[in-house]
Amino acid sequence: MNDTTKTGAPEAGVAAMDVADWWRTEIIDMAPGAIRVRGRPIEELIGNVTFPQMIWLMLRGELPGASAAKLLEAALVAAVDHGPQAPSIAAARMAVTCGLPLNGALASAVNMLDDVHGGAGEQAVELYGLIDDAGGPEATEACLERWTTERSAFIPGFGHRFHKPVDPRAPRLLGLVDAAALEGVCTGRFAAIGRAVETTLLARKGRPVPMNIDGATAVIFAELGFPPPLARGLFCLSRSVGILAHAFEQMGQGGRNKGPTPPRYRWTYNGPNPIETDDAG
Amino acid sequence: MNDTTKTGAPEAGVAAMDVADWWRTEIIDMAPGAIRVRGRPIEELIGNVTFPQMIWLMLRGELPGASAAKLLEAALVAAVDHGPQAPSIAAARMAVTCGLPLNGALASAVNMLDDVHGGAGEQAVELYGLIDDAGGPEATEACLERWTTERSAFIPGFGHRFHKPVDPRAPRLLGLVDAAALEGVCTGRFAAIGRAVETTLLARKGRPVPMNIDGATAVIFAELGFPPPLARGLFCLSRSVGILAHAFEQMGQGGRNKGPTPPRYRWTYNGPNPIETDDAG
Amino acid sequence: MNDTTKTGAPEAGVAAMDVADWWRTEIIDMAPGAIRVRGRPIEELIGNVTFPQMIWLMLRGELPGASAAKLLEAALVAAVDHGPQAPSIAAARMAVTCGLPLNGALASAVNMLDDVHGGAGEQAVELYGLIDDAGGPEATEACLERWTTERSAFIPGFGHRFHKPVDPRAPRLLGLVDAAALEGVCTGRFAAIGRAVETTLLARKGRPVPMNIDGATAVIFAELGFPPPLARGLFCLSRSVGILAHAFEQMGQGGRNKGPTPPRYRWTYNGPNPIETDDAG
Amino acid sequence: MNDTTKTGAPEAGVAAMDVADWWRTEIIDMAPGAIRVRGRPIEELIGNVTFPQMIWLMLRGELPGASAAKLLEAALVAAVDHGPQAPSIAAARMAVTCGLPLNGALASAVNMLDDVHGGAGEQAVELYGLIDDAGGPEATEACLERWTTERSAFIPGFGHRFHKPVDPRAPRLLGLVDAAALEGVCTGRFAAIGRAVETTLLARKGRPVPMNIDGATAVIFAELGFPPPLARGLFCLSRSVGILAHAFEQMGQGGRNKGPTPPRYRWTYNGPNPIETDDAG
């Protein structure tokens, strides 16, 4: 009664349409016994396209050629893991010791791939795009200046606190881009831009600030035409593999409520009225 | 066309009702300019009920008396924090250094309050309920036996790896339950059951396995009639305060992608083909 | 001194220190059998402070007076729920039908209280602070101009797509601020600023754009001296109550993998090569 | 002093080791400029192994042959999406309208792939394992009986509320298993078990309860030797692709705080003291 009035009594067809229209997608269509993804029957995709091709199809609506998909695949392979010092990996390992199943461990961990931990690739694609729009490699210095002023003191995708002087993934990935550019799979202009950033930073700082995994995968994503947010999304997919592997390994190791450091180190308390030894039981 | 056919063309009133009915609740009713929670206008609650009373009203549909709400409040106050060695707290602190805002840090952290980290209170309410159903304190030994056989080697709510011999929160909370029982706010029978578990475990193990925060808050939740899952839910609310405080403090301390231990300790690699020192760049 | 000894050193002192120091806090100190929060023994807080006082103590390091805590409490009570149309509430209800326990439902839902859904309070505290720094209510128009230009077309904390012309929570909360200001608990200057924003928007738009729950709680948070990020944090605490209540209610209702709308409405597919009715089995 | 006692005073080398040992892994080793995954230099993997091979290597420590990896790849491709009626997909779409970036949308959504939404594959691998351990297909009826009694009324991996009579993904995936078995990539015995379950259920219920996506991918995971929890993990990886695609599409569509149904339908309130139409402003 009450509820009818509250919701109004929409007319037949209208009601059906506005509800069905509330969720709209170009990604998937279904009928009983039939699933089409981006217009393609699922059973024709299964067994016939690679997982990276499927990822591309889902995200962009078209199937990439084999070589382009291979380049994407290299980026996905490269970023799977960086060990338990990465907060996301540590969180996933802690999570399973708290009782979470793998989906929950993934959730807590992938959530952490935010602006600082997982956003560098996205930002690097943006930066490369800025430089490209401004005319390419020669515009690098000016664009870096602008980035520093308008966006952040951090140049995304360059420098590594651990891998010095070289992040071993970067030259390998750039080599693959060069090969793909020779093949005509991509233009290679974002590889040139990435290298120009590296050169400029070296000159600016007087020491190498080498391209890291985010800078290198961003070259690939930019070469392949992925918009910036998908660079973050693809990194999340890739790193999910490492998160999963570590969470599963920790399940095997056991442990309950595993903290960040061995318990006896505890933490430093800097606040008022600390507990004196004699106070404690 | 296509879509109409797919969804069928529901008749007017029907369509409205099945959509509006899809989400049903006894918790909240709204109209433009009006909000009623459990049948009470929100503006009459604001400023007139305490936050614990509101929590109780939302979860259970009725407003508790002041004394019962005070007992709930004591449990909520007691469990807010246990320091950065708790995986949830560590995760929240890591999360903000990855770029997450406070909602995101809360999410990654609260997620970890699962069966092992946050489920002990829920399990303790279940255990107390079992004992109560079996006749009360005298049934303790038999029920613990059954619990160990059917559920888990861990007796939820008892023992602490750090607070030995006593978790300072437990006796204080039990004292409040005793006082409330004298006042007639609750019966005190779950306090008796909790103490019987403690006594039985001491006899069984030959050493104290004292009631911990989960065991003590579970006594309160059971005394107040909360079903087991809400013991976990209420613990999550309480611990959210600590998670928030630590996440915010870490924001002030700064840091980027803070790992679990200082970076130079790294981790121990036990797998095949380790990197020899000479191998590294 | 004290701390060196704590952990010894790989090169003794050094290692010990850097590990224990890796996690530093002014919030909590512990020793076996002893917990102090912000320097106060936990057993003295339990039963003696209200939950809102504990929240304040944890977040800010000091215990508020009873009247200030009451004002905070009113804000916490006001924002607990806005029904299943709120994406966070819907997500929590879906989550339990996917098998998640309450901690997991809270996590998926609280995560959604991001910039758009949960950030308005934080932004409103910032906006009020801007106006206050610029001289108070008379600076409102200029500051709104600046906000629109530099930050967003959305004025945070004002306007509501459902509660027209008035969000019933706002005048009630402002009344409590006025009373508290008379008592000297706060100055009332952010209430004046909030009202000035409302007046200015009415003049600007030629129709009421009334203060909503975020705008009103932000007045309280600003009056009480909470920094902007904690406005979001406190909103998360408050809304967690509603999330929990709805998730628990849904557990009772049952359902498996409950989708957003009744299944027969499904969604509208706008992509290539749709499935024709005759195609389907 | 105080703190010394708290933590003990570890000797030099010892301290270093217990901290470094706190996080142990066989997955990844690093030195400046060098990363080895499962003992293999990362730069030799990039561009040389497929993403499914890398997933396998990370999870299990060894590189699979090309054919086995292809079979895994088919399972990963098959499960990427099931449309916005799936609670995880709806949650991801809602999440971005709340302001979350893609990592956050993934987190809220993947979290929902719990026992009911994402656990069926894991449970199906367990069920197939039970049947296999009990002697294979002939043991199916007895094992189903046991499953129903001891575990759940739901037989995981069979039946679909939408795809009747056939989930189009299942026969395609089983066809690939058959081909792989002929090739000697796997034994085919879990395909036989899966078919035996289907036959038994048909006889039991007198109507088809066909194998669904979870049942079919579980056949593949079991054939390839993945332990049950990884079936859930691999499903999470696969469905993450769909979550990402829908979240990104929703970003493009815009919307703020998008609820589950069009706002005018709202929800049905079943509690006390409903708001009468005349009450509302």
Side-chain angles (χ1 to χ4, degrees):
Chain A
M1 208 63 353
N2 163 12
D3 287 304
T4 322
T5 343
K6 262 195 258 171
T7 55
E11 331 253 319
V14 180
M17 283 316 300
D18 74 345
V19 177
D21 270 3
W22 186 243
W23 296 101
R24 280 174 298 111
T25 183
E26 299 179 18
I27 299 171
I28 187 165
D29 195 14
M30 290 192 349
I35 301 173
R36 290 199 191 150
V37 170
R38 298 291 193 179
R40 294 163 193 267
I42 189 77
E43 62 275 19
E44 294 177 14
L45 293 165
I46 298 170
N48 290 323
V49 303
T50 67
F51 191 38
Q53 283 178 309
M54 188 66 168
I55 293 169
W56 186 309
L57 176 67
M58 286 290 291
L59 296 176
R60 299 175 59 177
E62 72 220 26
L63 265 184
S67 302
K70 277 282 165 205
L71 199 53
L72 170 61
E73 188 152 40
L76 291 168
V77 163
V80 293
D81 192 14
H82 206 253
Q85 272 290 334
S88 53
I89 300 290
R93 299 190 72 120
M94 286 176 182
V96 296
T97 73
C98 297
L100 286 167
L102 292 177
N103 57 299
L106 262 170
S108 277
V110 167
N111 208 30
M112 292 194 190
L113 303 179
D114 209 78
D115 290 2
V116 176
H117 190 6
E122 174 172 358
Q123 295 149 21
V125 174
E126 287 180 54
L127 172 64
Y128 298 162
L130 274 184
I131 297 172
D132 191 48
D133 290 347
E138 315 86 78
T140 301
E141 183 136 24
C143 289
L144 288 181
E145 206 65 51
R146 207 178 123 200
W147 185 274
T148 312
T149 316
E150 293 174 17
R151 292 289 299 269
S152 162
F154 289 91
I155 301 301
F158 292 82
H160 203 291
R161 59 187 179 191
F162 183 75
H163 292 302
K164 297 177 191 300
V166 172
D167 182 326
R169 298 164 292 188
R172 174 67 178 141
L173 288 168
L174 255 69
L176 293 172
V177 175
D178 292 344
L182 280 177
E183 255 195 272
V185 174
C186 56
T187 65
R189 75 187 199 275
F190 291 99
I193 288 172
R195 285 173 172 127
V197 173
E198 204 169 37
T199 311
T200 310
L201 288 174
L202 169 62
R204 259 187 166 188
K205 309 253 179 182
R207 56 176 173 76
V209 187
M211 186 183 289
N212 59 33
I213 180 72
D214 297 308
T217 52
V219 165
I220 290 182
F221 299 142
E223 291 282 349
L224 297 176
F226 285 92
L230 288 182
R232 182 192 301 230
L234 290 165
F235 174 70
C236 288
L237 277 187
S238 175
R239 186 54 55 93
S240 289
V241 177
I243 291 168
L244 209 50
H246 282 276
F248 183 64
E249 186 186 57
Q250 184 69 52
M251 273 187 178
Q253 291 179 6
R256 288 171 65 89
N257 294 336
K258 191 179 172 92
T261 57
R264 73 189 180 102
Y265 290 92
R266 308 183 47 66
W267 63 85
T268 296
Y269 175 65
N270 296 132
N273 194 25
I275 300 174
E276 301 298 323
T277 318
D278 298 347
D279 298 346
Chain B
M1 208 58 356
N2 167 9
D3 286 305
T4 319
T5 341
K6 261 194 266 173
T7 54
E11 331 254 318
V14 179
M17 281 318 298
D18 74 344
V19 177
D21 269 3
W22 186 243
W23 296 101
R24 282 174 296 113
T25 183
E26 300 179 17
I27 299 171
I28 187 167
D29 194 16
M30 290 192 349
I35 300 173
R36 290 200 192 149
V37 171
R38 298 292 192 176
R40 295 164 191 267
I42 189 78
E43 62 276 18
E44 295 177 13
L45 293 165
I46 299 170
N48 290 323
V49 302
T50 66
F51 192 36
Q53 282 178 309
M54 188 65 167
I55 292 169
W56 186 309
L57 176 67
M58 286 290 290
L59 296 176
R60 298 174 60 177
E62 70 220 28
L63 263 185
S67 302
K70 277 283 164 205
L71 199 53
L72 171 61
E73 188 152 41
L76 291 168
V77 164
V80 293
D81 192 14
H82 206 253
Q85 273 289 334
S88 54
I89 299 289
R93 298 190 73 120
M94 288 177 181
V96 297
T97 72
C98 296
L100 286 167
L102 292 177
N103 57 300
L106 261 171
S108 276
V110 167
N111 208 30
M112 292 195 190
L113 304 178
D114 210 76
D115 289 3
V116 177
H117 191 4
E122 174 172 358
Q123 295 149 22
V125 174
E126 286 180 55
L127 172 63
Y128 297 162
L130 274 184
I131 297 172
D132 190 47
D133 289 348
E138 316 85 80
T140 301
E141 184 135 27
C143 290
L144 288 181
E145 208 64 52
R146 206 177 125 201
W147 185 273
T148 312
T149 316
E150 293 175 17
R151 293 288 298 269
S152 162
F154 289 93
I155 301 301
F158 292 81
H160 203 289
R161 59 187 181 193
F162 183 75
H163 292 302
K164 296 175 194 302
V166 172
D167 182 326
R169 298 164 291 187
R172 174 68 177 140
L173 289 168
L174 254 68
L176 294 171
V177 175
D178 293 343
L182 281 177
E183 254 196 274
V185 175
C186 56
T187 65
R189 76 188 198 274
F190 291 100
I193 288 172
R195 284 174 173 127
V197 173
E198 205 169 35
T199 310
T200 309
L201 290 173
L202 170 61
R204 259 187 165 189
K205 309 253 180 183
R207 57 175 173 77
V209 188
M211 186 183 288
N212 60 33
I213 179 72
D214 298 307
T217 52
V219 164
I220 290 182
F221 299 143
E223 290 282 348
L224 297 175
F226 285 91
L230 288 181
R232 183 192 299 229
L234 290 165
F235 174 70
C236 288
L237 277 187
S238 175
R239 187 52 57 92
S240 289
V241 177
I243 291 168
L244 210 50
H246 282 277
F248 183 64
E249 185 185 59
Q250 185 69 51
M251 273 187 177
Q253 291 178 7
R256 287 172 66 87
N257 294 336
K258 189 178 174 92
T261 58
R264 74 187 182 100
Y265 290 91
R266 308 185 49 66
W267 62 85
T268 296
Y269 174 67
N270 297 129
N273 193 24
I275 301 173
E276 302 297 324
T277 320
D278 297 349
D279 296 349
Chain C
M1 196 79 341
N2 158 16
D3 286 306
T4 317
T5 353
K6 246 203 252 195
T7 50
E11 285 162 47
V14 183
M17 279 312 301
D18 72 350
V19 177
D21 269 2
W22 186 244
W23 297 101
R24 281 174 298 111
T25 183
E26 300 180 17
I27 299 171
I28 187 166
D29 194 15
M30 289 192 349
I35 301 173
R36 290 200 191 150
V37 170
R38 298 293 192 177
R40 294 163 192 265
I42 189 78
E43 63 274 20
E44 295 177 14
L45 293 165
I46 298 170
N48 290 323
V49 303
T50 67
F51 191 38
Q53 282 178 310
M54 188 66 167
I55 294 169
W56 186 309
L57 176 67
M58 285 290 291
L59 296 176
R60 299 174 60 177
E62 72 219 27
L63 265 184
S67 302
K70 277 282 164 205
L71 199 53
L72 170 61
E73 188 152 41
L76 291 168
V77 164
V80 292
D81 192 14
H82 206 253
Q85 272 289 333
S88 54
I89 299 290
R93 299 190 72 119
M94 287 177 182
V96 296
T97 73
C98 296
L100 286 168
L102 292 178
N103 57 301
L106 261 171
S108 277
V110 167
N111 208 31
M112 292 195 189
L113 303 178
D114 209 77
D115 289 3
V116 177
H117 191 5
E122 174 172 357
Q123 295 148 22
V125 174
E126 286 180 54
L127 173 63
Y128 298 162
L130 273 183
I131 297 173
D132 190 47
D133 289 347
E138 315 86 80
T140 302
E141 184 136 26
C143 289
L144 289 181
E145 207 66 52
R146 207 178 124 199
W147 185 273
T148 312
T149 316
E150 293 175 16
R151 294 288 299 269
S152 162
F154 290 93
I155 301 301
F158 293 82
H160 203 289
R161 58 188 179 190
F162 183 76
H163 293 302
K164 296 173 194 301
V166 171
D167 182 326
R169 297 163 293 186
R172 173 68 178 139
L173 289 169
L174 255 68
L176 293 172
V177 175
D178 293 345
L182 281 176
E183 256 195 90
V185 174
C186 57
T187 66
R189 76 188 199 273
F190 291 99
I193 287 172
R195 285 174 172 127
V197 173
E198 204 169 37
T199 311
T200 309
L201 289 174
L202 169 62
R204 259 187 165 189
K205 309 254 179 180
R207 57 175 173 78
V209 187
M211 186 182 290
N212 59 33
I213 178 72
D214 298 308
T217 51
V219 164
I220 289 181
F221 299 142
E223 291 282 348
L224 297 176
F226 285 92
L230 288 182
R232 182 192 300 228
L234 289 165
F235 174 70
C236 288
L237 277 188
S238 175
R239 187 53 56 92
S240 289
V241 177
I243 291 168
L244 208 51
H246 282 276
F248 183 64
E249 186 185 58
Q250 185 67 51
M251 273 187 178
Q253 291 178 8
R256 288 172 63 89
N257 294 336
K258 191 177 172 92
T261 58
R264 73 187 181 102
Y265 290 92
R266 305 185 49 67
W267 63 86
T268 295
Y269 174 66
N270 296 132
N273 194 26
I275 300 173
E276 300 299 322
T277 319
D278 297 349
D279 297 348
Chain D
M1 200 69 348
N2 145 27
D3 288 305
T4 317
T5 347
K6 263 195 263 176
T7 52
E11 331 254 317
V14 179
M17 279 321 295
D18 74 344
V19 176
D21 269 3
W22 187 243
W23 297 100
R24 281 174 297 112
T25 183
E26 300 179 17
I27 300 171
I28 188 166
D29 194 16
M30 291 193 347
I35 300 173
R36 290 198 192 151
V37 170
R38 297 291 192 178
R40 295 165 191 267
I42 189 76
E43 63 274 20
E44 294 177 15
L45 293 165
I46 298 170
N48 290 324
V49 302
T50 66
F51 191 38
Q53 283 178 308
M54 188 66 167
I55 293 169
W56 186 309
L57 176 67
M58 285 290 291
L59 296 177
R60 297 174 61 177
E62 71 220 28
L63 264 184
S67 302
K70 277 283 165 204
L71 199 53
L72 170 61
E73 187 152 42
L76 291 168
V77 164
V80 292
D81 192 14
H82 206 254
Q85 273 290 334
S88 54
I89 299 291
R93 299 190 72 120
M94 287 176 182
V96 297
T97 73
C98 297
L100 286 168
L102 293 177
N103 57 300
L106 262 171
S108 276
V110 167
N111 208 31
M112 292 194 190
L113 303 178
D114 208 77
D115 289 2
V116 177
H117 190 4
E122 174 172 357
Q123 295 149 23
V125 174
E126 287 180 55
L127 173 63
Y128 297 162
L130 274 183
I131 298 173
D132 191 46
D133 289 348
E138 314 87 81
T140 301
E141 184 135 25
C143 289
L144 289 181
E145 207 65 51
R146 206 177 125 201
W147 185 273
T148 312
T149 316
E150 293 175 16
R151 292 289 299 268
S152 162
F154 289 93
I155 301 301
F158 293 81
H160 204 289
R161 59 187 181 192
F162 183 75
H163 292 301
K164 297 173 194 300
V166 172
D167 182 326
R169 298 164 291 187
R172 175 67 178 139
L173 288 169
L174 255 67
L176 294 172
V177 175
D178 293 343
L182 280 177
E183 253 195 274
V185 174
C186 55
T187 65
R189 77 188 199 273
F190 291 100
I193 288 172
R195 285 174 173 127
V197 173
E198 205 169 37
T199 310
T200 309
L201 289 173
L202 169 62
R204 259 189 166 187
K205 309 252 179 183
R207 56 174 174 77
V209 187
M211 186 183 288
N212 60 33
I213 179 73
D214 298 307
T217 52
V219 165
I220 290 182
F221 299 142
E223 290 282 351
L224 297 175
F226 284 92
L230 288 181
R232 181 191 301 228
L234 290 164
F235 174 70
C236 288
L237 276 188
S238 175
R239 186 54 56 93
S240 290
V241 177
I243 291 168
L244 209 51
H246 281 277
F248 183 64
E249 186 185 58
Q250 185 68 50
M251 273 186 177
Q253 291 178 7
R256 288 172 65 87
N257 293 336
K258 189 178 174 91
T261 57
R264 75 189 181 100
Y265 290 92
R266 308 183 49 65
W267 63 86
T268 295
Y269 175 66
N270 297 131
N273 194 24
I275 300 173
E276 301 299 323
T277 320
D278 297 349
D279 297 347

